């Protein structure tokens, strides 16, 4: 029951994080720059320059927005094109991860045996981690591009210093949720990652098995040497005891000469 609750919680967290990253693809204000104070009035005469992955826009104090869409794919700024590609790869991996984790959870009745479902769940966790790394790389690339201009000692004429917008922070929170959910998945299938080792010792007819499990130890035999009698006692029968029993149960056959005596 506890395993199912952890898996359900992890599924909700990873799915929410994947949706956060997906929403950032279409959100505005990835970067924003505010210009005001011209003419002695900061409130009335103010303008915002902002952009996302698809367009550059300008909004004045009267809420009128003018935008310029980015050109075709092969003519986009290289870093914007890289951010798009990394996010799309991360979202694709995350989609397959959500499907695999849904099939591999214990609360679903699809996916086959328990061992197969654990492997599917572990594969989904790996896909989540790979997609999260791709998403983080995209956000870090965009942040690095903005930080170079923002913290530069001097910029050229007509170059604006932008600040980070809400989509960046939402995407980072989504990546954190994906990693957290993948950790929950890994906890529930840790036995698949590190299988239990069993050591088997055979002593005559007895066998001793010592699995490395929690609260479960199987004993099919117990070896205990005896100093007094020079043999061992246990659930397994020794050769001497077997021979003695055979000698007791086997009828003795007299010779013909003894029969006439």
């Amino acid at each position: 029951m506890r395993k199912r609750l952890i898996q359900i919680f992890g599924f909700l967290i990873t799915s929410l994080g994947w949706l956060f990253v997906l929403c950032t693809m279409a959100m505005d204000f990835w970067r924003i720059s505010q210009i005001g104070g011209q003419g002695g009035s900061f409130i009335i005469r103010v303008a915002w320059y902002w952009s996302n992955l698809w367009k550059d826009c300008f909004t004045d104090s009267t809420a009128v927005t003018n935008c310029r869409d980015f050109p075709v794919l092969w003519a986009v700024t290289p870093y914007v094109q890289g951010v798009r590609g990394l996010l799309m790869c991360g979202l694709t991996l995350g989609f397959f991860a959500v499907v695999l984790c849904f099939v591999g959870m214990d609360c679903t009745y699809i996916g086959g045996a328990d061992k197969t479902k654990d492997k599917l769940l572990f594969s989904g966790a790996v896909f989540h981690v790979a997609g999260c790394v791709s998403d983080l790389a995209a956000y870090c690339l965009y942040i690095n591009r903005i930080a170079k201009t923002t913290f530069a000692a001097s910029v050229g004429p007509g170059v604006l210093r932008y600040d980070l917008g809400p989509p960046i922070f939402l995407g980072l929170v989504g990546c954190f949720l994906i990693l957290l959910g993948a950790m929950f998945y890994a906890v529930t299938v840790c036995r698949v990652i590190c299988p239990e080792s069993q050591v088997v010792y055979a002593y005559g007819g007895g066998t001793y098995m010592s699995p490395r499990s929690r609260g479960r130890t199987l004993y099919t035999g117990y070896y205990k040497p005896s100093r007094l009698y020079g043999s061992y006692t246990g659930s397994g029968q020794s050769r001497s005891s077997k021979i003695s029993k055979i000698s007791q149960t086997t009828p003795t056959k007299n010779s013909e000469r003894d029969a006439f005596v």
Side-chain angles (χ1 to χ4, degrees):
M1 186 65 182
R2 184 182 301 176
K3 180 180 179 180
R4 291 186 178 184
L5 290 177
I6 294 176
Q7 289 179 357
I8 292 173
F9 189 59
F11 180 78
L12 294 176
I13 290 178
T14 52
S15 299
L16 185 62
W18 184 79
L19 287 176
F20 281 176
V21 177
L22 179 63
C23 290
T24 59
M25 288 283 293
M27 291 179 65
D28 297 331
F29 301 101
W30 273 63
R31 61 177 184 175
I32 184 171
S33 178
Q34 180 177 342
I35 299 177
Q38 298 179 0
S41 177
F42 182 80
I43 299 176
I44 297 177
R45 297 191 178 185
V46 64
W48 293 272
Y49 291 89
W50 57 271
S51 62
N52 57 13
L53 298 178
W54 314 102
K55 58 187 176 181
D56 279 327
C57 297
F58 167 78
T59 303
D60 58 10
S61 57
T62 60
V64 177
T65 302
N66 296 317
C67 295
R68 180 187 66 87
D69 293 335
F70 287 154
V72 292
L73 183 62
W74 50 86
V76 182
T77 308
Y79 83 94
V80 176
Q81 190 172 357
V83 172
R84 287 180 182 178
L86 289 172
L87 284 179
M88 289 179 182
C89 290
L91 290 173
T92 304
L93 293 174
F95 174 77
F96 288 111
V98 170
V99 174
L100 289 174
C101 291
F102 179 78
V103 175
M105 289 194 301
D106 281 352
C107 58
T108 55
Y109 296 96
I110 53 179
D114 292 339
K115 189 175 182 180
T116 303
K117 290 172 73 69
D118 288 341
K119 290 182 179 180
L120 289 175
L121 191 66
F122 178 68
S123 301
V126 172
F127 272 77
H128 269 307
V129 173
C132 182
V133 171
S134 180
D135 296 333
L136 281 175
Y139 294 126
C140 290
L141 177 61
Y142 200 90
I143 292 172
N144 181 49
R145 183 71 179 190
I146 296 175
K148 280 185 177 181
T149 306
T150 302
F151 298 102
S154 60
V155 294
V159 178
L160 298 175
R161 296 179 184 267
Y162 286 93
D163 296 326
L164 298 177
I168 301 293
F169 300 101
L170 184 64
L172 294 177
V173 171
C175 293
F176 173 75
L177 293 178
I178 293 174
L179 283 179
L180 184 61
M183 290 177 59
F184 284 137
Y185 287 142
V187 168
T188 58
V189 294
C190 60
R191 292 182 180 178
V192 178
I193 305 173
C194 300
E196 298 178 352
S197 60
Q198 295 185 355
V199 182
V200 180
Y201 301 97
Y203 297 95
T207 306
Y208 170 75
M209 299 179 63
S210 176
R212 189 180 60 187
S213 59
R214 189 172 47 180
R216 295 180 300 173
T217 306
L218 301 176
Y219 293 93
T220 59
Y222 179 69
Y223 176 77
K224 182 179 180 182
S226 177
R227 296 181 180 178
L228 297 177
Y229 302 101
S231 60
Y232 67 89
T233 59
S235 61
Q237 296 180 352
S238 63
R239 293 183 179 178
S240 60
S241 61
K242 289 182 179 180
I243 293 172
S244 62
K245 287 187 177 182
I246 291 173
S247 62
Q248 292 176 3
T249 56
T250 304
T252 58
K253 183 178 179 182
N254 298 325
S255 61
E256 296 180 357
R257 181 169 47 180
D258 294 336
F260 291 103
V261 176

